[in-house]
mmCIF file of all heavy atoms in Angstrom:
data_model
loop_
_atom_site.group_PDB
_atom_site.id
_atom_site.type_symbol
_atom_site.label_atom_id
_atom_site.label_comp_id
_atom_site.label_asym_id
_atom_site.label_seq_id
_atom_site.Cartn_x
_atom_site.Cartn_y
_atom_site.Cartn_z
ATOM 1 N N MET G 1 0.867 -1.195 -0.001
ATOM 2 C CA MET G 1 -0.009 0.038 -0.012
ATOM 3 C C MET G 1 0.874 1.242 0.018
ATOM 4 O O MET G 1 1.863 1.313 0.721
ATOM 5 C CB MET G 1 -0.906 -0.012 1.226
ATOM 6 C CG MET G 1 -1.694 1.227 1.423
ATOM 7 S SD MET G 1 -2.813 1.179 2.814
ATOM 8 C CE MET G 1 -4.259 0.618 1.927
ATOM 9 N N ASN G 2 0.542 2.238 -0.783
ATOM 10 C CA ASN G 2 1.259 3.493 -0.854
ATOM 11 C C ASN G 2 0.708 4.429 0.228
ATOM 12 O O ASN G 2 -0.447 4.721 0.306
ATOM 13 C CB ASN G 2 1.044 4.129 -2.253
ATOM 14 C CG ASN G 2 1.815 5.445 -2.392
ATOM 15 O OD1 ASN G 2 2.434 5.896 -1.438
ATOM 16 N ND2 ASN G 2 1.748 5.955 -3.550
ATOM 17 N N PHE G 3 1.652 4.820 1.213
ATOM 18 C CA PHE G 3 1.225 5.649 2.298
ATOM 19 C C PHE G 3 1.466 7.109 2.051
ATOM 20 O O PHE G 3 1.226 7.879 2.974
ATOM 21 C CB PHE G 3 1.974 5.173 3.580
ATOM 22 C CG PHE G 3 1.624 3.767 4.009
ATOM 23 C CD1 PHE G 3 2.599 2.778 4.025
ATOM 24 C CD2 PHE G 3 0.383 3.440 4.395
ATOM 25 C CE1 PHE G 3 2.315 1.488 4.435
ATOM 26 C CE2 PHE G 3 0.041 2.152 4.842
ATOM 27 C CZ PHE G 3 0.981 1.176 4.827
ATOM 28 N N ASN G 4 1.846 7.455 0.874
ATOM 29 C CA ASN G 4 2.110 8.863 0.571
ATOM 30 C C ASN G 4 0.812 9.662 0.707
ATOM 31 O O ASN G 4 -0.244 9.258 0.250
ATOM 32 C CB ASN G 4 2.639 9.050 -0.821
ATOM 33 C CG ASN G 4 3.985 8.483 -1.034
ATOM 34 O OD1 ASN G 4 4.735 8.363 -0.011
ATOM 35 N ND2 ASN G 4 4.392 8.221 -2.241
ATOM 36 N N LEU G 6 -1.207 10.031 3.052
ATOM 37 C CA LEU G 6 -2.241 9.595 3.980
ATOM 38 C C LEU G 6 -1.953 10.184 5.326
ATOM 39 O O LEU G 6 -0.814 10.412 5.785
ATOM 40 C CB LEU G 6 -2.239 8.040 4.101
ATOM 41 C CG LEU G 6 -2.698 7.260 2.870
ATOM 42 C CD1 LEU G 6 -2.482 5.806 3.099
ATOM 43 C CD2 LEU G 6 -4.118 7.531 2.622
ATOM 44 N N PRO G 7 -3.048 10.493 6.105
ATOM 45 C CA PRO G 7 -2.870 11.037 7.407
ATOM 46 C C PRO G 7 -2.244 10.035 8.287
ATOM 47 O O PRO G 7 -2.433 8.830 8.062
ATOM 48 C CB PRO G 7 -4.297 11.391 7.810
ATOM 49 C CG PRO G 7 -5.154 10.516 7.024
ATOM 50 C CD PRO G 7 -4.473 10.308 5.720
ATOM 51 N N ILE G 8 -1.576 10.448 9.344
ATOM 52 C CA ILE G 8 -0.970 9.540 10.327
ATOM 53 C C ILE G 8 -1.544 9.822 11.671
ATOM 54 O O ILE G 8 -2.089 10.908 11.970
ATOM 55 C CB ILE G 8 0.564 9.616 10.372
ATOM 56 C CG1 ILE G 8 1.018 11.092 10.688
ATOM 57 C CG2 ILE G 8 1.175 9.176 9.051
ATOM 58 C CD1 ILE G 8 2.459 11.239 10.971
ATOM 59 N N ASP G 9 -1.561 8.786 12.557
ATOM 60 C CA ASP G 9 -2.151 8.959 13.868
ATOM 61 C C ASP G 9 -1.060 9.489 14.774
ATOM 62 O O ASP G 9 0.019 9.840 14.421
ATOM 63 C CB ASP G 9 -2.781 7.628 14.356
ATOM 64 C CG ASP G 9 -1.771 6.569 14.679
ATOM 65 O OD1 ASP G 9 -0.555 6.800 14.700
ATOM 66 O OD2 ASP G 9 -2.169 5.358 14.826
ATOM 67 N N ASN G 11 0.721 8.133 16.864
ATOM 68 C CA ASN G 11 1.904 7.269 17.024
ATOM 69 C C ASN G 11 2.691 7.169 15.759
ATOM 70 O O ASN G 11 3.589 6.334 15.634
ATOM 71 C CB ASN G 11 1.409 5.878 17.504
ATOM 72 C CG ASN G 11 0.782 5.969 18.859
ATOM 73 O OD1 ASN G 11 1.306 6.645 19.790
ATOM 74 N ND2 ASN G 11 -0.409 5.416 18.959
ATOM 75 N N GLY G 12 2.318 7.887 14.738
ATOM 76 C CA GLY G 12 2.991 7.876 13.456
ATOM 77 C C GLY G 12 2.600 6.752 12.491
ATOM 78 O O GLY G 12 3.205 6.531 11.462
ATOM 79 N N ILE G 13 1.535 6.061 12.850
ATOM 80 C CA ILE G 13 1.001 4.996 12.044
ATOM 81 C C ILE G 13 0.032 5.593 11.036
ATOM 82 O O ILE G 13 -0.901 6.238 11.426
ATOM 83 C CB ILE G 13 0.343 3.916 12.875
ATOM 84 C CG1 ILE G 13 1.337 3.310 13.892
ATOM 85 C CG2 ILE G 13 -0.332 2.776 12.054
ATOM 86 C CD1 ILE G 13 0.726 2.406 14.929
ATOM 87 N N PRO G 14 0.224 5.264 9.730
ATOM 88 C CA PRO G 14 -0.687 5.844 8.726
ATOM 89 C C PRO G 14 -2.131 5.241 8.823
ATOM 90 O O PRO G 14 -2.259 4.023 9.127
ATOM 91 C CB PRO G 14 -0.042 5.539 7.390
ATOM 92 C CG PRO G 14 0.988 4.548 7.650
ATOM 93 C CD PRO G 14 1.300 4.474 9.141
ATOM 94 N N PHE G 15 -3.113 6.077 8.549
ATOM 95 C CA PHE G 15 -4.437 5.567 8.338
ATOM 96 C C PHE G 15 -4.525 4.949 6.919
ATOM 97 O O PHE G 15 -3.569 5.172 6.135
ATOM 98 C CB PHE G 15 -5.438 6.648 8.497
ATOM 99 C CG PHE G 15 -5.653 7.097 9.976
ATOM 100 C CD1 PHE G 15 -5.017 8.295 10.412
ATOM 101 C CD2 PHE G 15 -6.370 6.389 10.858
ATOM 102 C CE1 PHE G 15 -5.221 8.691 11.713
ATOM 103 C CE2 PHE G 15 -6.560 6.745 12.139
ATOM 104 C CZ PHE G 15 -5.948 7.912 12.597
ATOM 105 N N GLU G 16 -5.583 4.240 6.580
ATOM 106 C CA GLU G 16 -5.739 3.642 5.310
ATOM 107 C C GLU G 16 -6.465 4.508 4.262
ATOM 108 O O GLU G 16 -6.375 4.283 3.081
ATOM 109 C CB GLU G 16 -6.409 2.356 5.432
ATOM 110 C CG GLU G 16 -5.603 1.306 6.205
ATOM 111 C CD GLU G 16 -6.252 -0.047 6.258
ATOM 112 O OE1 GLU G 16 -7.244 -0.275 5.545
ATOM 113 O OE2 GLU G 16 -5.763 -0.847 7.057
ATOM 114 N N LYS G 17 -7.165 5.513 4.729
ATOM 115 C CA LYS G 17 -7.960 6.415 3.861
ATOM 116 C C LYS G 17 -7.565 7.872 3.957
ATOM 117 O O LYS G 17 -7.082 8.284 5.017
ATOM 118 C CB LYS G 17 -9.412 6.194 4.199
ATOM 119 C CG LYS G 17 -9.918 4.769 4.075
ATOM 120 C CD LYS G 17 -11.354 4.641 4.390
ATOM 121 C CE LYS G 17 -11.849 3.212 4.295
ATOM 122 N NZ LYS G 17 -11.643 2.549 3.048
ATOM 123 N N GLU G 65 -11.910 6.064 10.709
ATOM 124 C CA GLU G 65 -10.969 5.021 11.105
ATOM 125 C C GLU G 65 -10.609 5.304 12.572
ATOM 126 O O GLU G 65 -10.482 6.439 12.959
ATOM 127 C CB GLU G 65 -9.703 5.071 10.280
ATOM 128 C CG GLU G 65 -9.919 4.623 8.802
ATOM 129 C CD GLU G 65 -8.619 4.815 8.053
ATOM 130 O OE1 GLU G 65 -8.319 5.984 7.590
ATOM 131 O OE2 GLU G 65 -7.903 3.814 7.916
ATOM 132 N N HIS G 67 -7.952 4.462 15.601
ATOM 133 C CA HIS G 67 -6.686 3.942 16.080
ATOM 134 C C HIS G 67 -6.618 4.152 17.579
ATOM 135 O O HIS G 67 -5.528 4.217 18.103
ATOM 136 C CB HIS G 67 -5.553 4.668 15.331
ATOM 137 C CG HIS G 67 -5.304 4.163 13.979
ATOM 138 N ND1 HIS G 67 -4.158 4.419 13.287
ATOM 139 C CD2 HIS G 67 -6.068 3.341 13.184
ATOM 140 C CE1 HIS G 67 -4.178 3.875 12.079
ATOM 141 N NE2 HIS G 67 -5.345 3.237 11.946
#
Side-chain angles (χ1 to χ4, degrees):
M1 174 177 265
N2 182 356
F3 296 117
N4 293 340
L6 288 175
I8 58 171
D9 68 14
N11 299 310
I13 300 170
F15 288 103
E16 294 183 12
K17 301 182 182 301
E65 294 176 274
H67 282 193

